[in-house]
Amino acid sequence: MKLFILGWDNALVSDVVKTKIHPAYTAALSATAPVFAKRWTFKDSVRMQGQQTALIWESFDLLLGKENGRRAKEIFYETYRSFPAPEPVKNAVELLRHFKKIGGHTVVVSNKSRDLLEQEAKACGMSDFVDEFIGSSAEFCGKMEKSIADNRFYSRIALLREAMKSFPNAEAALVVASSGYARAAYALGLPYEEASPAIFDWLLTREKAPEPSVSHAKDGDFYDLWDDTL
């Protein structure tokens, strides 16, 4: 059976940097480092995306000190959760329902913490169609690299590896996520499609359920014919 690994932000749900993430960073820094908050821009918030959560808050601890770093983290999540859940991308729910219907295994990955990822998925009506949620985890979070680009790459490598471990017996896998996952997917030898409503439409028609198995008797033996389009 096929394993579908789907990204969350900018894939199944709309971009929330402007509506949730940037205001949350601004609130956190305004309360803990007002001078620094005045210099924090939207580009800075975008730059933090795709990194492991543990590394993000490690960098804030180094920048602000552990106590202010802890307060900044608390305020960030309080502010983030105060905004409405993200909007699902067109046909995202239909695609997940379709993968479930044809018997595929579906795993959603995100650099968010798993509990936050699961909360958002439930609010968006997607929980019942996903087999496993894999969020940012300290257990497989590496050390901070010299460049943010490297942090993003290794973070996504770790998420995809965890997703594959969830269903090790899957016959094939497909990654459908934002463009940031492309390099990580190719590094692991996984086929990749950039998530978009058009790709979702294409997958809804391309991925079909296997035909029923039909047995034919011949010389006392049975031959199973299985047309598995997955």
Side-chain angles (χ1 to χ4, degrees):
M1 193 53 65
K2 199 162 192 176
L3 170 62
F4 299 98
I5 305 173
L6 294 106
W8 185 244
D9 289 313
N10 299 315
L12 290 174
V13 296
S14 57
D15 186 7
V16 296
V17 178
K18 183 177 181 179
T19 58
K20 291 169 68 78
I21 292 172
H22 183 59
Y25 276 126
T26 302
L29 289 171
S30 295
T32 57
V35 175
F36 186 68
K38 293 179 181 179
R39 298 166 52 194
W40 188 268
T41 67
F42 180 74
K43 288 184 178 180
D44 291 319
S45 295
V46 172
R47 189 167 50 89
M48 304 304 285
Q49 294 307 101
Q51 296 186 64
Q52 288 283 350
T53 304
L55 293 183
I56 291 174
W57 297 115
E58 180 183 334
S59 67
F60 273 83
D61 286 346
L62 293 172
L63 180 68
L64 306 176
K66 285 191 175 181
E67 181 58 28
N68 278 336
R70 180 190 62 79
R71 287 184 58 221
K73 180 179 179 180
E74 290 177 353
I75 295 168
F76 175 90
Y77 285 113
E78 288 174 2
T79 306
Y80 184 94
R81 288 187 169 95
S82 70
F83 294 107
E87 289 291 326
V89 170
K90 181 182 178 182
N91 283 343
V93 177
E94 289 78 5
L95 183 67
L96 292 176
R97 184 184 291 115
H98 177 67
F99 288 162
K100 190 78 168 180
K101 182 179 179 181
I102 64 175
H105 301 306
T106 302
V107 178
V108 171
V109 296
S110 173
N111 74 306
K112 286 184 171 74
S113 62
R114 178 171 176 168
D115 64 329
L116 185 56
L117 175 59
E118 290 179 337
Q119 288 173 16
E120 290 189 342
K122 184 176 181 179
C124 293
M126 299 185 188
S127 295
D128 292 341
F129 310 116
V130 177
D131 296 301
E132 185 71 33
F133 292 96
I134 296 177
S136 180
S137 171
E139 284 78 24
F140 61 91
C141 179
K143 294 182 179 180
M144 192 178 296
E145 299 293 332
K146 292 183 179 180
S147 74
I148 289 176
D150 283 342
N151 287 337
R152 290 195 185 105
F153 174 64
Y154 291 120
S155 168
R156 286 159 177 157
I157 285 279
L159 290 169
L160 294 180
R161 280 177 172 165
E162 288 297 307
M164 290 188 293
K165 288 178 184 177
S166 298
F167 296 97
N169 296 321
E171 297 171 0
L174 173 66
V175 178
V176 184
S178 63
S179 59
Y181 279 88
R183 182 185 169 203
Y186 295 144
L188 295 173
L190 296 172
Y192 165 84
E193 294 289 347
E194 184 171 351
S196 70
I199 287 296
F200 291 171
D201 287 342
W202 178 69
L203 288 171
L204 281 166
T205 58
R206 178 180 181 272
E207 300 293 344
K208 300 178 181 179
E211 296 293 332
S213 178
V214 180
S215 296
H216 297 269
K218 181 180 180 180
D219 297 329
D221 294 324
F222 285 91
Y223 296 85
D224 289 336
L225 303 180
W226 184 259
D227 178 20
D228 187 356
T229 58
L230 292 178

